Amino acid sequence: MRAFVVTGPGEAGPADVPEPVAGVGEVVVDVERAGVCGTDVEFFTGEMQYLADGHASYPLRLGHEWCGTVSGVGPGVHPAWIGRRVTGDTMLGCGECRRCRAGHQHVCETRQEVGIRGGRAGALAEKLAVPVRSLHELGGLDPMAGALVEPGGNACRAARAAAGERVLVLGPGTIGLLTALFLRAAGSEVHLVGATPWSVEFARGLGFPAATTVPDPPFDAVVDATNDPAAPALAAELVEPAGRIVYIGLAGKASLLDTRLVALKDVTAVGVLSGSPGLPDAIDAYAGEDVDPRPLVAATVGLDEVAAVLGGKRPDGAGAGPKIHVDPRW
C-alpha cells in the first residue's frame, strides 16, 4: 500500500510499504480521511520534542486525526466490527499501570501514540492497524467531520474546563476555533484574539467577535490555544479573579508564568494534553449538529501533496480555514 513516510527533517514523501496485519485485539481500517496537524509539522521540521526525548525516531508515519472503515480483524476481535465506520483514540496506554487502571490511559508512561510515539504507524496511509479498544463508532458522520473528532475531543475538554459566561480564546487555529464552537454551543459569549488578519477574519466569518488586540474584560475564563511562549502569562493577567485558565497550546520553548498571580487571583489552571476523554462527546456534538467543524477544512489533498503542506504551502484553490485534510486513496 501507499503511505506517507518521514525519513528525516524536511525529507518525506509517499512510499510503498507492507499492508498492516491486525494483531491480537486489533483491527485494520481502510482510511477515508486524515488531518494534518501542527504536531505533524514539528516532526517534518525535526523540532518535535519526542525526537529529542527518544519517544519517536525516523523513519515514521504520521497521521493521528482520522476516520475510516474496518476491513479486517485480528484474533480476539468479533467479526461484526467489519464494515463499521470508526475513528480512534490517538493515545494507547498499556492498560495495566496505575494511570490506565484509573482511566487515565492517555497519560500512561509507556503509551504509544498513533502516528506520533512509540513506533505506532499513523493514518497518512491507505490502511491503518489499531487496537479495537481504541475505536469509536461514527454512525452517519461524513469523512470530513469524522477526521475532526480527535481535535474535537481536545477542544471539547478545553471548553468544558473553561465554561463561563464570557470567555476569551487566544489563537484562532483549529483547536482554538473548535474550542470556541463548543463554548458557544454551551451558551458562552466567546471572543477570539489572533495574530494575523486572515485568521481573525475567518473567525468573524464563523460569527465570533475577533480581533488582533485583546477586547475589554471581564473574562471568566481564558483559553491559550497558541504556540506563543508569552501567552500563558497573558492569560493569567487577563482572567478574572476566581476564574479559570485552560492551557491547550504548546510553545516551542518554555513559558514563564508568575504563579503568585495565579495564587493571589485564586485562579484554577487546567492543562489539556489529549482528546481521549472527550471523543464520545465530540461525536455526539457533531452528530446532533450542536457543533459543525467542517467549515474549518480548507482543502483535501492526496498523499503526493502532503510534504508541500507540511512545508507551509497552501494547496491551490484552498479556502480560508486552518485545517488541511488528506484522502490517502488519491
Side-chain angles (χ1 to χ4, degrees), residues 189-208:
E189 175 189 334
V190 188
H191 296 257
L192 290 107
V193 173
T196 60
W198 68 263
S199 66
V200 167
E201 189 63 29
F202 183 78
R204 288 174 179 166
L206 296 177
F208 293 106

Side-chain angles (χ1 to χ4, degrees), residues 12-38:
D16 291 326
V17 302
E19 290 192 7
V21 176
V24 175
E26 291 188 335
V27 302
V28 171
V29 176
D30 292 345
V31 180
E32 295 177 333
R33 197 69 54 86
V36 176
C37 172

